[in-house]
Amino acid sequence: MEKDNNETEMGRRDFLATSSLSVAGLVAGSIFTPSANAQTKNNTTMKNNNIIGRGPFPAKGMAAYSPEGPLRLMDFQRRAIGPKDVAIKLHYCGVCHSDIHTIRQDWGKITFPQIVGHEYTGVVTGVGSSVSKFKVGDRVGVGCIVNSCRHCAECEAGHENYCLNGNIQSYASVDRDGTITQGGYSTFAVIDEDFVINIPDSLDLADAGPLLCAGITVYSPLRHWGVTVGKKIAILGLGGLGHMAVKLAKALGAEVTVFTTSADKEADAKRFGATNVVLNKEKADYSAYKFAFDFILDTIPYEHNIKPFIPLLKRDATFCRVGVGKVQDDISTGQMSLVMYRAAIAGSNTGGIQETQDMINFCALNKITPEIVKVPMTRVNDAWKDVFERKARYRYVLDLQTI
């Protein structure tokens, strides 16, 4: 694959257990085959990627038709623009490991065909009659969430990612109209304005995509647990999430130690801002770091042993998981390590919409971008293979304009 000047790779995504995957099978597949009436509207609804009508809109995407098969091109349609909707011509979408976990049904059964992708960016081509936040021509992005109940305590507090009634994910969720949401490996999207993120002009649209999942997934816990100047933290894993965690933690003023299974990533880790790099291998001796860290962020999306890391926490410090593998994978730790120094094990799930906007603005201000490799859509299956085999460096970004 040909590298962009920015270079980079890999992926991941935080997926709510309440994202309605269990009922996805109830939905008919009619949305994947535009009606004859909709087909006749194609020439009047879109021309040169500019909206003329109000939709519904024809779109193309790379869909999975089974857990094991390759992604293939699919024609489908996006809904008509509602009063609060923003229509977006998509330019780029990051490849997150969550995309692969979802299609392989590591997190539950889904309905096929399914288009994934929740790190997508593009340009507004139309807005609904009540839209106040965006206008045609704006540069925008969409992350993991496209709707929530809006009225529970979590939503009202700006934590739509923890919606008590289950939010609607960018893909593989049951939408308000009963259809299954389709993600950003596609040419076009129609999204409620409250779940659209403004992309500052100083950020390239290709760079901004991975921030909408990988970026916010690590930014949220770093902020929540007070990572700042003078704090010593550890990052486990240096993939799509981990490399962003190092950059963000460094920008927040922390001293960062990276634990990685890949010896060849040491130079990269230090280039991203790590002070120390430790090779994470079975039976390794970590005694030099006993009681060393104010916070440990675990970004590894595979089953692994966390027991050796709990004794590395200071008293009252937290070990936080954001990497998610197969749901049946167990995570266990020694009880004595927890009780002796009042250690805590926690988890964190992406971030709310305002927090995501804050993170994007922080990255723009501090010139923080992911390491990306742009990939044409014809190479999406090769990109998935590299991500699964841990070869990505560090986030693949699909060029949706090549569909």
Side-chain angles (χ1 to χ4, degrees):
M1 296 178 186
E2 189 173 336
K3 292 192 176 183
D4 178 67
N5 290 336
N6 293 331
E7 290 220 45
T8 120
E9 138 332 71
M10 174 147 184
R12 120 91 163 122
R13 134 182 148 95
D14 203 300
F15 193 90
L16 274 178
T18 58
S19 65
S20 306
L21 288 176
S22 61
V23 297
L26 299 176
V27 180
S30 60
I31 63 166
F32 304 117
T33 307
S35 66
N37 185 48
Q39 294 279 20
T40 64
K41 292 182 179 180
N42 288 0
N43 292 331
T44 60
T45 56
M46 296 187 75
K47 183 179 181 181
N48 298 326
N49 297 322
N50 292 318
I51 294 177
I52 297 175
R54 310 305 293 172
F57 304 101
K60 294 181 181 294
M62 294 299 287
Y65 288 79
S66 71
E68 298 83 19
L71 304 186
R72 304 198 309 270
L73 191 64
M74 182 178 83
D75 291 310
F76 70 114
Q77 70 180 29
R78 297 293 193 182
R79 68 173 183 262
I81 300 176
K84 289 271 289 175
D85 284 337
V86 174
I88 308 167
K89 171 67 173 65
L90 304 186
H91 288 206
Y92 298 101
C93 185
V95 175
C96 180
H97 207 134
S98 301
D99 304 339
I100 301 173
H101 281 306
T102 297
I103 294 303
R104 295 189 175 179
Q105 303 190 110
D106 291 339
W107 296 341
K109 298 292 184 182
I110 66 169
T111 296
F112 293 99
Q114 178 67 61
I115 297 170
V116 292
H118 56 202
E119 297 180 342
Y120 53 98
T121 59
V123 175
V124 175
T125 58
V127 296
S129 59
S130 298
V131 168
S132 60
K133 301 176 184 177
F134 302 98
K135 63 183 185 303
V136 172
D138 283 351
R139 303 163 75 253
V140 297
V142 179
C144 300
I145 308 168
V146 294
N147 215 332
S148 68
C149 79
R150 319 290 186 98
H151 56 75
C152 72
E154 297 294 347
C155 285
E156 289 183 352
H159 302 306
E160 298 90 349
N161 51 318
Y162 298 118
C163 176
L164 297 176
N165 294 302
N167 60 48
I168 297 174
Q169 297 276 299
S170 291
Y171 57 75
S173 277
V174 179
D175 210 343
R176 289 172 299 181
D177 61 1
T179 61
I180 300 297
T181 55
Q182 300 292 329
Y185 290 16
S186 56
T187 56
F188 194 77
V190 178
I191 307 293
D192 186 296
E193 71 165 336
D194 291 339
F195 294 82
V196 177
I197 303 298
N198 175 65
I199 306 299
D201 289 341
S202 61
L203 282 176
D204 187 277
L205 286 177
D207 289 331
L211 299 177
L212 298 168
C213 174
I216 186 58
T217 296
V218 297
Y219 179 87
S220 184
L222 291 174
R223 284 297 205 188
H224 178 76
W225 275 281
V227 172
T228 187
V229 177
K231 299 292 185 180
K232 294 183 177 181
I233 76 162
I235 306 293
L236 308 189
L238 194 69
L241 270 68
H243 92 284
M244 285 307 307
V246 175
K247 290 187 175 192
L248 287 164
K250 177 66 174 179
L252 290 169
E255 179 184 305
V256 181
T257 297
V258 169
F259 288 78
T260 176
T261 58
S262 303
D264 62 346
K265 290 183 177 180
E266 179 175 358
D268 281 349
K270 290 186 176 179
R271 177 166 59 90
F272 301 152
T275 300
N276 306 299
V277 181
V278 181
L279 188 60
N280 179 14
K281 58 185 179 180
E282 189 174 358
K283 297 181 180 179
D285 181 7
Y286 300 145
S287 58
Y289 293 94
K290 191 172 184 180
F291 311 135
F293 300 117
D294 299 287
F295 182 66
I296 298 177
L297 186 64
D298 183 354
T299 72
I300 301 170
Y302 307 97
E303 184 174 18
H304 59 285
N305 183 15
I306 71 171
K307 291 181 181 179
F309 300 102
I310 305 304
L312 310 188
L313 292 167
K314 295 179 181 179
R315 175 177 54 80
D316 291 333
T318 297
F319 179 103
C320 179
R321 287 272 293 156
V322 291
V324 179
K326 296 180 180 180
V327 292
Q328 64 267 32
D329 290 345
D330 289 328
I331 292 182
S332 59
T333 187
Q335 298 179 65
M336 195 58 70
S337 296
L338 290 174
V339 302
M340 287 299 291
Y341 285 88
R342 207 156 57 195
I345 297 178
S348 182
N349 178 22
T350 63
I353 300 304
Q354 185 56 55
E355 187 176 36
T356 302
Q357 186 67 65
D358 293 344
M359 176 273 307
I360 287 281
N361 295 343
F362 179 84
C363 288
L365 180 65
N366 291 279
K367 296 181 172 55
I368 299 171
T369 58
E371 306 291 308
I372 69 167
V373 177
K374 289 183 185 176
V375 182
M377 288 302 291
T378 54
R379 303 293 301 278
V380 61
N381 291 299
D382 296 328
W384 273 35
K385 184 174 183 292
D386 282 357
V387 171
F388 185 75
E389 294 177 354
R390 311 183 197 187
K391 295 178 181 178
R393 299 289 187 274
Y394 284 85
R395 201 68 158 186
Y396 286 127
V397 173
L398 302 174
D399 185 348
L400 305 175
Q401 300 165 102
T402 62
I403 295 181

